[in-house]
Amino acid sequence: MARNFILWLHGLGDSGPANEPIKTLFTSPEFKLTKWSFPSAPNNPVTCNFFVVNVDNLSYMDLSNFVSVDDGAVMPSWFDIHEIPVTASSPKDESSLLKAVRNVHAMIDKEVAAGIDPNNVFVCGFSQGGALTLASVLLYPRKLGGGAIFSGWVPFNASLIDQFTSDAKKTPILWSHGMADRTVLFEAGQAGPPFLEQAGISCEFKAYPGLGHSISNEELRNLESWIKTRMSCSSS
């Protein structure tokens, strides 16, 4: 029986199966009883009208490989994005975001109902998946093991803070962002922790000089260590 659950949410235009090799990097014994899930986003029209033209190494997708097509082009997307690059002040589509959050919560609820302690549930995501990760863990009614955001941004307005429960605010947050990111600008990631602090939420932020819009092995090694620490705390 699985003891821990890690849900990985991919970026715009990507797929869950393309990201599955990530789990092979988590070789510590603590992950032997971990259940991983790599869902794929549904196909939706996306306002920023980009589609992938270079699908090499999808698990580390760089959105600079996207080129524009007709308005509202359909692609795998958790929620609508109005512009790329994403900045700290980019428009937010809360309606489609909240629909995606409900789907993520259903995935978590299924594992909790199967016997996994919410403190052993970790949600991780890259880019659009990172933004969805942030919203999903903060809007979940209970404290989770943690939420890890890679190259993400805050996809909701301050008015949504009132919906965060006191338990959800205790969920540990890890935020990693490349300083050379030209797709989700570093300023968008950097704006995250101060925004969360206003809501009484602590966040561990790590900046990676020279890293563009991708995930590095260094980030994933840090994630393994970060989750391991919280798994041992939650099971002690």
Side-chain angles (χ1 to χ4, degrees), residues 1 5 11-12 21 33 37 44 56 74 85 106 111-112 131 143 176 178 181 185-186 198 201 203 208-209 213 218 221:
M1 178 178 173
F5 177 60
L12 178 68
L33 295 178
S37 180
N44 286 311
D56 293 333
V74 173
E111 301 307 323
V112 172
K143 175 186 175 293
S176 305
D181 195 332
L185 300 187
F186 182 68
Q198 293 178 2
I201 301 164
C203 174
Y208 290 81
H213 196 66
E218 182 183 358
R221 285 194 299 269

Side-chain angles (χ1 to χ4, degrees), residues 152-169:
W153 68 93
V154 178
F156 48 81
N157 297 303
S159 57
L160 213 61
I161 291 175
D162 292 338
Q163 297 184 35
F164 302 163
T165 68
S166 56
D167 284 341
K169 290 180 180 181

Side-chain angles (χ1 to χ4, degrees), residues 86-90 92 134 138 149 151-158 161 173 175-178 184-199 201-207:
V86 177
T87 70
S89 58
S90 286
K92 298 164 176 59
L134 182 67
L138 293 179
I149 297 105
S151 306
W153 68 93
V154 178
F156 48 81
N157 297 303
I161 291 175
I173 303 292
W175 197 311
S176 305
H177 212 112
V184 179
L185 300 187
F186 182 68
E187 66 166 60
Q190 202 172 27
F195 180 92
L196 297 178
E197 286 172 11
Q198 293 178 2
I201 301 164
S202 61
C203 174
E204 181 180 346
F205 186 82
K206 289 187 174 293

Side-chain angles (χ1 to χ4, degrees), residues 73 119 147 151 222:
N119 286 306
S151 306
N222 183 59

